[in-house]
Amino acid sequence: MINGIVYRVRTGVPWRDVPERYGSWKTLYKRFTRWQEDGTWARIEAMLQADADTAGDLDWHGNA
């Protein structure tokens, strides 16, 4: 399920064009939308960011 959502976000293809190996595009879309609305994606991002920060993998100075 998550792989299908990540595939869609990474490639930018329309939901209907997500390969069937990831499951029904309708299910993927509904899950993505529900998680967006209830804050699940924001919590996942915050946890990943905290882990990366703890590991020293983030550059908070924004050097370009």
Side-chain angles (χ1 to χ4, degrees), residues 9-56:
V9 171
R10 184 174 41 97
T11 63
V13 300
W15 285 105
R16 290 180 185 260
D17 293 340
V18 173
E20 288 184 24
R21 69 179 175 266
Y22 296 119
S24 163
W25 72 268
K26 291 178 185 179
T27 302
L28 294 173
Y29 173 76
K30 288 177 186 177
R31 180 76 47 95
F32 173 81
T33 303
R34 185 172 66 232
W35 286 6
Q36 184 66 26
E37 290 172 355
D38 72 10
T40 299
W41 292 119
R43 287 191 303 276
I44 291 170
E45 180 183 21
M47 289 172 41
L48 291 172
Q49 192 175 43
D51 288 349
D53 189 30
T54 300

